[in-house]
Coordinates of all heavy atoms in Angstrom, one line a residue:
M1 N 37.7 222.1 59.2 CA 37.7 221.6 60.5 C 39.1 221.8 61.2 O 39.1 222.1 62.4 CB 37.4 220.1 60.5 CG 37.1 219.5 61.8 SD 35.7 220.1 62.7 CE 34.4 219.3 61.9
A2 N 40.1 221.7 60.5 CA 41.5 221.9 61.1 C 41.7 223.3 61.5 O 42.3 223.6 62.6 CB 42.5 221.4 60.1
R3 N 41.1 224.2 60.7 CA 41.3 225.6 61.1 C 40.5 226.0 62.4 O 40.9 226.7 63.2 CB 40.8 226.5 59.9 CG 41.0 228.0 60.2 CD 40.7 228.8 59.0 NE 41.5 228.4 57.8 CZ 41.2 228.7 56.6 NH1 40.1 229.4 56.3 NH2 42.0 228.4 55.6
L4 N 39.3 225.4 62.5 CA 38.5 225.5 63.7 C 39.2 225.0 64.9 O 39.2 225.7 66.0 CB 37.1 224.9 63.5 CG 36.2 224.9 64.7 CD1 35.8 226.4 65.0 CD2 34.9 224.1 64.5
E5 N 39.8 223.9 64.8 CA 40.5 223.3 65.9 C 41.7 224.2 66.3 O 42.0 224.4 67.5 CB 41.0 221.9 65.6 CG 39.9 220.9 65.5 CD 40.4 219.5 65.3 OE1 41.5 219.2 65.6 OE2 39.6 218.7 64.8
A6 N 42.4 224.7 65.3 CA 43.5 225.6 65.6 C 43.0 226.9 66.4 O 43.6 227.3 67.4 CB 44.2 226.1 64.4
V7 N 41.9 227.4 66.0 CA 41.3 228.6 66.6 C 40.9 228.3 68.0 O 41.1 229.1 69.0 CB 40.1 229.2 65.8 CG1 39.4 230.2 66.6 CG2 40.6 229.8 64.5
I8 N 40.3 227.1 68.2 CA 39.9 226.7 69.6 C 41.1 226.6 70.5 O 41.0 227.2 71.6 CB 39.2 225.3 69.5 CG1 37.8 225.4 68.8 CG2 39.1 224.7 70.9 CD1 37.2 224.1 68.5
W9 N 42.1 226.0 70.1 CA 43.3 225.9 71.0 C 44.0 227.2 71.3 O 44.5 227.4 72.4 CB 44.2 224.8 70.6 CG 43.6 223.4 70.7 CD1 43.2 222.6 69.7 CD2 43.1 222.8 71.9 NE1 42.5 221.5 70.2 CE2 42.5 221.6 71.6 CE3 43.2 223.1 73.3 CZ2 42.0 220.7 72.5 CZ3 42.7 222.3 74.2 CH2 42.1 221.1 73.9
I10 N 44.0 228.0 70.3 CA 44.6 229.3 70.5 C 43.8 230.1 71.5 O 44.4 230.8 72.4 CB 44.7 230.1 69.1 CG1 45.8 229.5 68.3 CG2 45.0 231.6 69.3 CD1 45.9 230.0 66.9
L11 N 42.5 230.1 71.4 CA 41.6 230.8 72.3 C 41.8 230.3 73.7 O 41.9 231.0 74.7 CB 40.2 230.7 71.9 CG 39.8 231.6 70.7 CD1 38.3 231.3 70.3 CD2 39.8 233.1 71.1
I12 N 41.8 229.0 73.9 CA 41.9 228.4 75.2 C 43.3 228.7 75.8 O 43.3 229.2 77.0 CB 41.7 226.9 75.2 CG1 40.2 226.6 74.8 CG2 42.0 226.2 76.5 CD1 39.9 225.1 74.6
Y13 N 44.3 228.4 75.1 CA 45.7 228.6 75.7 C 46.0 230.1 75.9 O 46.5 230.5 76.9 CB 46.8 227.9 74.9 CG 46.8 226.4 75.2 CD1 46.6 225.5 74.1 CD2 46.9 225.9 76.4 CE1 46.6 224.2 74.3 CE2 47.0 224.5 76.7 CZ 46.8 223.7 75.6 OH 46.8 222.3 75.8
G14 N 45.6 230.9 74.9 CA 45.8 232.3 75.0 C 45.0 232.9 76.1 O 45.5 233.8 76.8
G15 N 43.8 232.5 76.2 CA 42.9 233.0 77.3 C 43.4 232.6 78.7 O 43.4 233.5 79.6
L16 N 43.9 231.4 78.9 CA 44.4 231.0 80.2 C 45.7 231.8 80.5 O 45.9 232.1 81.6 CB 44.6 229.5 80.2 CG 43.3 228.7 80.2 CD1 43.7 227.2 80.1 CD2 42.5 229.0 81.4
L17 N 46.5 232.0 79.5 CA 47.8 232.7 79.7 C 47.4 234.2 80.1 O 48.0 234.7 81.0 CB 48.6 232.8 78.4 CG 49.9 233.5 78.4 CD1 50.8 232.9 79.5 CD2 50.5 233.6 77.1
A18 N 46.5 234.8 79.4 CA 46.1 236.2 79.8 C 45.5 236.2 81.2 O 45.7 237.1 82.0 CB 45.1 236.7 78.8
L19 N 44.7 235.2 81.5 CA 44.1 235.1 82.9 C 45.2 235.0 84.0 O 45.2 235.8 85.0 CB 43.2 233.9 83.0 CG 42.4 233.6 84.3 CD1 41.4 234.7 84.4 CD2 41.8 232.3 84.3
I20 N 46.2 234.2 83.8 CA 47.3 234.1 84.7 C 48.1 235.4 84.8 O 48.5 235.8 85.8 CB 48.2 232.9 84.3 CG1 47.4 231.6 84.5 CG2 49.4 232.8 85.2 CD1 46.9 231.3 85.9
L21 N 48.4 236.0 83.6 CA 49.1 237.2 83.6 C 48.3 238.3 84.3 O 48.9 239.1 85.0 CB 49.3 237.7 82.1 CG 50.1 238.9 81.9 CD1 51.5 238.7 82.5 CD2 50.2 239.3 80.4
G22 N 47.0 238.3 84.2 CA 46.1 239.3 84.9 C 46.2 239.1 86.4 O 46.3 240.0 87.2
L23 N 46.3 237.8 86.8 CA 46.4 237.5 88.3 C 47.8 238.1 88.8 O 47.9 238.5 89.9 CB 46.3 236.0 88.5 CG 44.9 235.5 88.4 CD1 44.9 233.9 88.5 CD2 44.0 236.0 89.5
W24 N 48.8 238.0 88.0 CA 50.1 238.4 88.3 C 50.2 239.9 88.4 O 50.9 240.5 89.2 CB 51.2 237.8 87.4 CG 52.6 238.1 87.7 CD1 53.2 237.7 88.8 CD2 53.4 239.0 87.0 NE1 54.5 238.1 88.8 CE2 54.7 239.0 87.7 CE3 53.3 239.7 85.8 CZ2 55.8 239.7 87.2 CZ3 54.4 240.4 85.4 CH2 55.6 240.4 86.1
V25 N 49.5 240.6 87.4 CA 49.6 242.1 87.3 C 48.7 242.8 88.3 O 49.0 243.9 88.7 CB 49.3 242.5 85.8 CG1 49.1 244.0 85.7 CG2 50.4 242.0 84.9
A26 N 47.6 242.1 88.7 CA 46.6 242.8 89.5 C 47.1 243.5 90.8 O 46.7 244.6 91.1 CB 45.5 241.8 89.9
P27 N 48.1 242.9 91.5 CA 48.5 243.6 92.7 C 49.3 244.9 92.4 O 49.3 245.8 93.2 CB 49.5 242.6 93.4 CG 49.1 241.3 92.8 CD 48.6 241.5 91.5
M28 N 49.8 245.0 91.2 CA 50.6 246.2 90.8 C 49.6 247.3 90.2 O 49.8 248.5 90.4 CB 51.7 245.9 89.9 CG 52.8 245.1 90.5 SD 54.0 244.5 89.3 CE 53.3 242.9 88.9
D29 N 48.7 246.8 89.3 CA 47.8 247.7 88.6 C 46.5 247.0 88.5 O 46.3 246.1 87.7 CB 48.3 248.1 87.2 CG 47.5 249.1 86.5 OD1 46.6 249.6 87.1 OD2 47.8 249.4 85.3
D30 N 45.6 247.4 89.4 CA 44.3 246.8 89.5 C 43.4 246.8 88.2 O 42.9 245.7 87.8 CB 43.5 247.4 90.7 CG 42.4 246.5 91.2 OD1 42.6 245.3 91.2 OD2 41.3 247.0 91.4
D31 N 43.4 247.9 87.6 CA 42.6 248.0 86.3 C 43.1 247.1 85.2 O 42.3 246.4 84.6 CB 42.5 249.4 85.9 CG 41.7 250.3 86.8 OD1 40.9 249.8 87.5 OD2 41.9 251.5 86.8
T32 N 44.4 247.1 85.0 CA 45.0 246.3 83.9 C 44.8 244.8 84.3 O 44.5 244.0 83.4 CB 46.5 246.7 83.7 OG1 46.6 248.0 83.5 CG2 47.1 245.9 82.6
G33 N 45.0 244.5 85.5 CA 44.9 243.1 85.9 C 43.5 242.5 85.7 O 43.3 241.4 85.2
W34 N 42.5 243.3 86.1 CA 41.1 242.9 85.9 C 40.8 242.8 84.4 O 40.0 241.9 84.0 CB 40.1 243.8 86.7 CG 40.0 243.4 88.1 CD1 40.5 244.1 89.1 CD2 39.4 242.3 88.6 NE1 40.3 243.4 90.3 CE2 39.5 242.3 90.0 CE3 38.7 241.2 88.0 CZ2 39.0 241.3 90.8 CZ3 38.2 240.2 88.9 CH2 38.3 240.3 90.2
S35 N 41.3 243.7 83.6 CA 41.0 243.7 82.2 C 41.6 242.4 81.6 O 40.9 241.8 80.7 CB 41.6 244.9 81.5 OG 41.0 246.1 82.0
L36 N 42.8 242.1 82.0 CA 43.5 240.9 81.4 C 42.7 239.6 81.9 O 42.5 238.7 81.1 CB 44.9 240.8 81.9 CG 45.9 241.7 81.1 CD1 47.2 241.7 81.8 CD2 46.1 241.2 79.7
M37 N 42.3 239.6 83.2 CA 41.6 238.5 83.7 C 40.2 238.3 83.0 O 39.8 237.2 82.6 CB 41.4 238.6 85.2 CG 42.6 238.3 86.0 SD 42.3 238.2 87.7 CE 42.3 239.9 88.2
A38 N 39.5 239.4 82.8 CA 38.2 239.3 82.1 C 38.4 238.9 80.7 O 37.6 238.0 80.2 CB 37.5 240.7 82.2
G39 N 39.3 239.5 79.9 CA 39.5 239.1 78.5 C 40.0 237.7 78.4 O 39.5 237.0 77.5
G40 N 40.9 237.3 79.3 CA 41.4 235.9 79.2 C 40.3 234.9 79.5 O 40.2 233.9 78.9
G41 N 39.5 235.2 80.5 CA 38.5 234.3 80.9 C 37.4 234.2 79.8 O 36.9 233.1 79.5
L42 N 37.1 235.3 79.1 CA 36.2 235.3 78.0 C 36.7 234.5 76.8 O 36.0 233.7 76.3 CB 35.9 236.7 77.6 CG 34.9 236.9 76.5 CD1 33.5 236.4 76.9 CD2 34.7 238.4 76.1
A43 N 38.0 234.7 76.5 CA 38.6 233.9 75.4 C 38.6 232.5 75.7 O 38.2 231.6 74.8 CB 40.0 234.4 75.1
A44 N 38.9 232.1 76.9 CA 38.9 230.6 77.3 C 37.5 230.1 77.2 O 37.3 228.9 76.7 CB 39.5 230.4 78.6
A45 N 36.5 230.8 77.6 CA 35.1 230.4 77.6 C 34.6 230.2 76.2 O 33.9 229.3 75.9 CB 34.2 231.4 78.4
V46 N 35.0 231.1 75.3 CA 34.6 231.0 73.9 C 35.3 229.8 73.3 O 34.6 229.0 72.5 CB 35.0 232.3 73.1 CG1 34.9 232.1 71.6 CG2 34.2 233.5 73.6
G47 N 36.5 229.5 73.6 CA 37.2 228.3 73.1 C 36.5 227.1 73.6 O 36.3 226.1 72.8
L48 N 36.1 227.0 74.9 CA 35.4 225.9 75.4 C 34.0 225.7 74.7 O 33.6 224.6 74.4 CB 35.2 226.0 76.9 CG 36.5 225.8 77.7 CD1 36.2 226.1 79.2 CD2 37.1 224.4 77.5
A49 N 33.3 226.8 74.4 CA 32.1 226.8 73.7 C 32.3 226.3 72.3 O 31.4 225.5 71.8 CB 31.4 228.1 73.7
L50 N 33.4 226.6 71.7 CA 33.6 226.2 70.3 C 33.9 224.7 70.3 O 33.7 224.0 69.3 CB 34.8 227.0 69.7 CG 34.4 228.4 69.2 CD1 35.6 229.1 68.7 CD2 33.3 228.3 68.2
I51 N 34.4 224.1 71.4 CA 34.6 222.7 71.4 C 33.2 222.0 71.3 O 33.1 221.0 70.6 CB 35.4 222.2 72.7 CG1 36.8 222.6 72.6 CG2 35.2 220.7 72.9 CD1 37.6 222.3 73.9
Y52 N 32.3 222.5 72.0 CA 30.9 222.0 71.9 C 30.4 222.1 70.5 O 29.8 221.2 70.0 CB 30.0 222.7 72.9 CG 28.5 222.2 72.8 CD1 28.2 221.0 73.3 CD2 27.6 223.0 72.2 CE1 26.8 220.5 73.1 CE2 26.3 222.6 72.0 CZ 25.9 221.3 72.5 OH 24.6 220.9 72.4
V53 N 30.5 223.3 69.9 CA 30.1 223.5 68.5 C 30.7 222.5 67.6 O 30.1 221.9 66.7 CB 30.4 224.9 68.1 CG1 30.1 225.1 66.6 CG2 29.5 225.9 68.9
R54 N 32.0 222.3 67.8 CA 32.7 221.3 66.9 C 32.2 219.9 67.1 O 32.1 219.2 66.1 CB 34.2 221.4 67.2 CG 35.0 220.4 66.3 CD 36.4 220.3 66.7 NE 36.4 219.6 68.0 CZ 37.5 219.4 68.8 NH1 38.6 219.9 68.4 NH2 37.4 218.7 69.9
S55 N 31.8 219.6 68.3 CA 31.3 218.2 68.5 C 29.9 218.0 67.9 O 29.5 216.9 67.6 CB 31.2 218.0 70.0 OG 30.1 218.7 70.6
R56 N 29.2 219.1 67.6 CA 27.9 219.0 67.0 C 27.9 219.1 65.5 O 26.9 218.9 64.9 CB 27.0 220.1 67.6 CG 26.9 220.2 69.1 CD 26.4 218.9 69.7 NE 25.0 218.6 69.4 CZ 24.4 217.5 69.6 NH1 25.1 216.5 70.1 NH2 23.2 217.4 69.3
I57 N 29.0 219.5 64.9 CA 29.1 219.6 63.5 C 29.2 218.2 62.8 O 30.0 217.3 63.2 CB 30.4 220.4 63.0 CG1 30.3 221.8 63.5 CG2 30.6 220.3 61.5 CD1 31.5 222.6 63.2
N58 N 28.3 218.0 61.9 CA 28.2 216.7 61.2 C 29.2 216.7 60.0 O 28.9 217.5 59.0 CB 26.8 216.4 60.7 CG 26.7 215.0 60.2 OD1 27.6 214.2 60.2 ND2 25.5 214.7 59.7
T59 N 30.3 216.0 60.0 CA 31.2 216.0 58.9 C 31.0 214.9 57.9 O 31.7 214.8 56.9 CB 32.7 215.8 59.5 OG1 32.8 214.6 60.2 CG2 33.0 217.0 60.4
E60 N 30.0 214.1 58.1 CA 29.7 213.0 57.2 C 29.0 213.6 56.0 O 28.1 214.4 56.2 CB 28.9 211.9 57.9 CG 29.7 211.2 59.0 CD 28.8 210.2 59.7 OE1 27.7 209.8 59.2 OE2 29.2 209.7 60.7
P61 N 29.2 213.0 54.8 CA 28.5 213.6 53.6 C 27.1 213.1 53.5 O 26.6 212.3 54.1 CB 29.3 213.0 52.4 CG 30.2 211.9 52.9 CD 30.3 212.1 54.4

């Protein structure tokens, strides 16, 4: 469970960082900026989906 939580937060924070970096790069290089924004948004979305998955996992024996 601890490993899943670590992956979730890495995906969320890393995705948001890539999204912001893509917004900053987009005026200089449109293709790279959009790629960073798409990848970052996807990573953050996967992290948020994993939060839902974690909430549905039954940890009781």
Side-chain angles (χ1 to χ4, degrees):
M1 188 63 77
R3 188 176 296 164
L4 178 62
E5 289 184 27
V7 169
I8 288 170
W9 291 113
I10 289 170
L11 283 171
I12 290 173
Y13 284 122
L16 291 176
L17 179 64
L19 183 69
I20 296 301
L21 184 62
L23 287 171
W24 184 69
V25 169
M28 293 173 267
D29 186 6
D30 199 40
D31 292 335
T32 303
W34 277 106
S35 296
L36 283 168
M37 286 189 279
L42 182 64
V46 169
L48 291 174
L50 284 176
I51 287 176
Y52 175 76
V53 169
R54 184 189 65 188
S55 74
R56 306 303 291 166
I57 292 175
N58 188 5
T59 58
E60 295 177 11

